[in-house]
Amino acid sequence: MSSMKNVHVLPFPIFQDERGCLIALESNKSIPFELKRIYYHFGNIDKKPRGFHAHKQLHQVLICLNGSCKIKVANGMEKDEFILDSPMKGLYIGPMIWREIEYGTNDSVLLALVSDYYDESDYIRDYEKFLANCKKLRDKV
Ligand code: T46
């Protein structure tokens, strides 16, 4: 369990019977925000890392539906990492968290449930800028 604010694992309730498993996720309930967008990563044959940015406002839940992914996170002070290797859990990542994604297998499918529409101006894609913004926020409080 991470102590980092704005990052935590969400274990999902599962309905399992002889037909297999079903997980149902709802906005503002199992997903801790109003859902506006979904996207997914797949077909990463060479397992090239993705991410390398933070979001100013966006909330996301990442779920690995197939294969496995390592999610590395940083908040400007601490770093942590999580393995997602089951559709039975998600990783919540809130605003101002740098994320880098490594793929354990080339058939990994990573689903993202997202709190807002795509907006490039919400991204911080430069790590030095990210660190400077984190410091500004810390100095404010
Ligand atoms: C994140 C990590 C985990 C769109 O047009 N709409 C979208 O909703 C998204 C997510 C992307 N795009 C376009 C923008 C780029 O031209 O798709 C292209 C690839 O996006 P990006 O380089 O941002 O992909 P990742 O894998 O580095 O980052 C994505 C998400 O953008 C990001 O929010 O947290 O996955």
Side-chain angles (χ1 to χ4, degrees):
M1 175 83 182
S2 174
S3 58
M4 196 182 287
K5 193 175 163 252
N6 275 357
V7 183
H8 55 264
V9 173
L10 299 170
F12 299 137
I14 180 161
F15 297 94
Q16 186 165 14
D17 60 28
E18 65 283 358
R19 299 167 299 173
C21 304
L22 184 152
I23 288 174
L25 304 173
E26 296 181 331
S27 276
N28 296 320
K29 291 184 177 174
S30 35
I31 300 302
F33 49 79
E34 186 84 29
L35 192 62
K36 285 203 179 149
R37 177 166 54 105
I38 68 171
Y39 66 86
Y40 35 98
H41 294 159
F42 62 100
N44 192 342
I45 303 299
D46 296 328
K47 299 193 285 177
K48 294 237 165 75
R50 302 195 65 129
F52 300 91
H53 58 258
H55 284 281
K56 295 174 193 164
Q57 304 287 343
L58 204 69
H59 303 263
Q60 303 203 34
V61 172
L62 301 179
I63 305 167
C64 188
L65 295 180
N66 193 60
S68 70
C69 301
K70 183 190 279 182
I71 316 290
K72 296 174 161 183
V73 291
N75 66 2
M77 295 284 278
E78 316 155 77
K79 293 181 177 191
D80 207 344
E81 53 186 55
F82 299 85
I83 302 288
L84 295 181
D85 55 4
S86 154
M88 293 189 287
K89 65 183 176 192
L91 183 68
Y92 166 78
I93 305 181
M96 292 307 289
I97 300 290
W98 188 264
R99 81 281 321 262
E100 298 175 9
I101 298 141
E102 291 176 2
Y103 295 84
T105 61
N106 62 9
D107 60 353
S108 300
V109 179
L110 185 69
L111 173 72
L113 310 180
V114 192
S115 66
D116 214 339
Y117 303 116
Y118 177 72
D119 176 5
E120 185 58 37
S121 71
D122 189 64
Y123 285 72
I124 305 173
R125 293 190 185 269
D126 179 294
Y127 193 62
E128 293 308 315
K129 238 184 229 168
F130 166 70
L131 292 178
N133 283 18
C134 291
K135 184 171 181 318
K136 248 188 235 162
L137 288 174
R138 281 199 307 274
D139 290 348
K140 253 192 207 166
V141 288

